Amino acid sequence: MKVLIKNATIIDSESSYHGTTQDIRIKDGLIIEIGQKLASLKGETTIEKEDLHISQGWFDTSVSMGQPGYEERETIDNGLNVAARSGFTGVALNPNTYPIIDTSSDITFVKKMAEGHATSLYPIGALTRNSASVDLAELYDMQQSGAVAFGDYQTPIKNPNLLKIALQYTQGFNGLVLSFPQEQQIAGKGMVNEGVMSTRVGLKGIPTIAESLQIARDLHILEYAGGKLHIPTVSTKEGVALIRAAKSKKLNVTCSVAIHNLCLTDDLIEDFDTRYKVLPPLRNKEHVEALVAAVKDGTIDTVTSDHNPLDVERKNVEFDNAMYGAIAQEATFKALLTIVSEKRAITLLTAGRNLFIGQNNPVKEQVKADLTLFSTKGSQTFTKQDILSSSQNAIFLNKKVKGEVYGIIANNQVVLN
C-alpha cells in the first residue's frame, strides 16, 4: 500500500504536527514522511478531501455484534466494516453472544473471525461464567488468548465479594474489570428513567439511585482491593460526581458515556418508540447537562457508541417486550461534534485505546499508520441511508448531526466512504 494524503489538518495532541496542515506519505502501513507540498510518487494513491482532518484512529469501548449465535443481528464481518466506515480503527467487543464469551476458546474464535479487516477487534471476556454473576470466568486464560478487559455486558455484579476478588485477582496480570452501574433490586422491573416522563406515559421507572448506589459500592471496593476498574456507560449526575471524587482520591477508575445518553433525553419515550429503549435509560435534561460537563472537564474518559444491533423481532414489538439496545456507531462522531469542540471530540474518541490496550499510535514519522479521516464542517440529518448496520434500530434517526467521516487507514488497508 502506497498512499499520499494531501493537505490534512492533524488533530493529535501527542504529535508535534498538532493543529498544522500537512501532507502524509504512507508505505506498507507505516507513516514514512510528513511535510508540506510533498510530490506524488509513482504507484501512490493520492487522497484529497474538502476540509480534510486526520487523527489517531478512534476506538469504541462498547460494541455488540451478535456473532456467534445471533448472526441475524450482525456478523463480525459486517460489524467491522460498519466500524471502519464510521471512523473506528479499533473496537472492544462485548461478550453478549451465544454462547457468552467466557472461555479462552471463545476469545480465540472471535479474534479468528476478525482477521483481515482494517478495523481491529479486541474482545471483552465475560467477568463471570455465563455472565450469571455467580462464579468468576477463566480470566487469566482469556487474557492470554487476547481478552482486553472483563465484564458482564449490561449485567450488574450482584455479589460485592465477587467484584473484590476480581479486582484482586486481575492485579496479577494488569487486567481491567468492568462493572455495569445498576443496582438491580433498586431498578426492579423499571425500563425508562424514573421521573415526570415515566409517570406521564405509565412506564415503570429506573431511579437514578440505582446507578449511584452501585457506583458508590464499587468505588468503596476498589479503594479497599486495588486494581483497575472501568465503569461503562454512566448516565447520572450523581454517578459522575462519585467518579469525580474518586479520581480526586487517585483511585484507578475510568468511565465512559454512551453517545445517546450524552445527546438525548427521556422526552423521546413519549411516543413509545422502542429505538429509545436503552440501558442505562435516557435521562432528563439535568443529567444530560451533568454528563456534558463531565466530558468537557475530563471526568468522563471516553465516549462510546454502545452499538447494539437488534433485529425487528426484538425491537418492533410493544415497549414492555422490546430488548434494550440501539445502534449509534454510524452517528457517534457526528453527534458528539454537536456538543464539544473537534479537539475534545477526538480526545474522547481516541482515549479508549490506551485505557483498554495500553497503546497509542500518534501521527508521527516511522509510526504505524492507524488513522481516521474526517471533516468537521457541515450539518445534516441522519437518515436511513446513513445506516450501515444489518439491523435498523438507529437511535439518531432523523436527528441533526455535524461533520463527516471520510474513512480510515489501518492494518495496511484504506477504507473510504
Side-chain angles (χ1 to χ4, degrees):
M1 180 188 74
K2 297 179 181 179
V3 174
L4 179 63
I5 304 169
K6 298 291 289 182
N7 299 318
T9 300
I10 297 172
I11 307 296
D12 182 3
S13 58
E14 295 182 48
S15 171
S16 60
Y17 298 101
H18 174 60
T20 67
T21 300
Q22 305 285 341
D23 297 346
I24 302 173
R25 195 185 308 280
I26 299 168
K27 182 180 179 182
D28 298 331
L30 193 72
I31 298 173
I32 61 171
E33 190 176 7
I34 299 177
Q36 296 182 337
K37 298 182 179 178
L38 298 182
S40 179
L41 301 179
K42 185 178 180 180
E44 279 187 335
T45 299
T46 300
I47 297 175
E48 283 190 275
K49 299 279 188 180
E50 182 183 357
D51 187 48
L52 178 59
H53 288 62
I54 277 186
S55 72
Q56 294 186 36
W58 305 341
F59 189 95
D60 198 340
T61 59
S62 179
V63 176
S64 303
M65 290 185 188
Q67 191 177 15
Y70 302 117
E71 286 82 359
E72 71 279 6
R73 302 177 188 176
E74 189 68 280
T75 62
I76 288 175
D77 180 63
N78 191 62
L80 290 175
N81 290 333
V82 172
R85 294 181 61 189
S86 301
F88 294 93
T89 64
V91 298
L93 178 69
N94 292 314
N96 56 330
T97 52
Y98 185 78
I100 283 172
I101 300 171
D102 62 0
T103 68
S104 58
S105 59
D106 295 331
I107 297 292
T108 301
F109 173 79
V110 293
K111 283 181 68 66
K112 185 72 175 176
M113 294 296 294
E115 288 179 354
H117 286 82
T119 296
S120 298
L121 181 145
Y122 299 94
I124 298 172
L127 184 71
T128 63
R129 291 180 186 172
N130 205 35
S131 289
S133 198
V134 176
D135 300 302
L136 286 183
E138 46 182 65
L139 307 185
Y140 179 73
D141 288 349
M142 286 193 286
Q143 191 262 355
Q144 290 295 293
S145 296
V148 296
F150 309 98
D152 299 328
Y153 182 65
Q154 294 188 344
T155 303
I157 303 169
K158 291 181 290 187
N159 183 347
N161 192 52
L162 206 58
L163 176 60
K164 176 181 75 72
I165 294 169
L167 287 168
Q168 291 171 328
Y169 177 62
T170 51
Q171 289 175 52
F173 51 91
N174 199 33
L176 178 64
V177 174
L178 279 58
S179 179
F180 182 66
Q182 181 166 290
E183 211 298 322
Q184 198 55 49
Q185 289 182 302
I186 295 286
K189 295 182 179 179
M191 61 189 77
V192 297
N193 180 55
E194 183 182 82
V196 172
M197 187 55 62
S198 66
T199 302
R200 181 183 300 171
V201 299
L203 292 171
K204 295 183 177 69
I206 300 175
T208 58
I209 193 177
E211 177 170 294
S212 56
L213 191 63
Q214 190 83 351
I215 290 176
R217 184 204 76 169
D218 291 355
L219 292 174
H220 277 299
I221 294 171
L222 176 66
E223 188 170 13
Y224 173 81
K228 292 197 302 184
L229 178 67
H230 180 75
I231 300 173
T233 58
V234 64
S235 71
T236 65
K237 177 181 178 180
E238 297 83 3
V240 163
L242 287 164
I243 294 166
R244 185 178 288 117
K247 288 189 169 190
S248 71
K249 294 167 68 174
K250 307 300 182 184
L251 294 187
N252 198 348
V253 60
T254 56
C255 67
S256 69
V257 62
I259 185 64
H260 43 262
N261 286 110
L262 194 59
C263 298
L264 307 176
T265 65
D266 61 351
D267 293 341
L268 293 168
I269 67 170
E270 188 167 25
D271 295 327
F272 300 95
D273 190 329
T274 59
R275 287 183 297 117
Y276 305 120
K277 186 178 181 181
V278 289
L279 197 68
L282 299 179
R283 305 289 185 180
N284 62 29
K285 185 179 179 182
E286 177 187 11
H287 295 285
V288 170
E289 289 176 348
L291 293 172
V292 171
V295 298
K296 289 181 177 180
D297 70 17
T299 300
I300 292 176
D301 299 272
T302 184
V303 171
T304 175
S305 68
D306 201 25
H307 187 77
N308 190 1
L310 295 170
D311 53 280
V312 292
E313 285 81 4
R314 271 77 175 181
K315 290 302 276 187
N316 288 11
V317 293
E318 298 84 357
F319 201 95
D320 282 27
N321 297 325
M323 283 185 67
Y324 294 106
I327 58 171
Q329 200 167 57
E330 300 95 322
T332 296
F333 167 70
K334 300 175 185 179
L336 183 56
L337 211 57
T338 66
I339 295 173
V340 298
S341 68
E342 61 190 52
K343 181 180 177 182
R344 188 66 193 147
I346 298 310
T347 298
L348 290 161
L349 292 173
T350 56
R353 182 180 300 275
N354 194 44
L355 293 179
F356 275 66
I357 62 176
Q359 172 195 337
N360 283 330
N361 297 302
V363 185
K364 298 179 181 179
E365 292 178 351
Q366 301 307 311
V367 172
K368 176 184 175 183
D370 191 276
L371 306 168
T372 299
L373 289 66
F374 59 96
S375 167
T376 61
K377 288 185 177 179
S379 61
Q380 64 270 355
T381 300
F382 188 88
T383 67
K384 285 187 176 181
Q385 284 67 44
D386 297 309
I387 297 174
L388 305 172
S389 307
S390 299
S391 296
Q392 302 293 301
N393 52 317
I395 199 166
F396 283 98
L397 189 65
N398 300 323
K399 300 291 185 292
K400 288 287 186 182
V401 292
K402 184 180 178 183
E404 193 63 63
V405 176
Y406 287 137
I408 65 169
I409 298 176
N411 289 330
N412 202 21
Q413 297 180 53
V414 179
V415 178
L416 296 177
N417 289 321

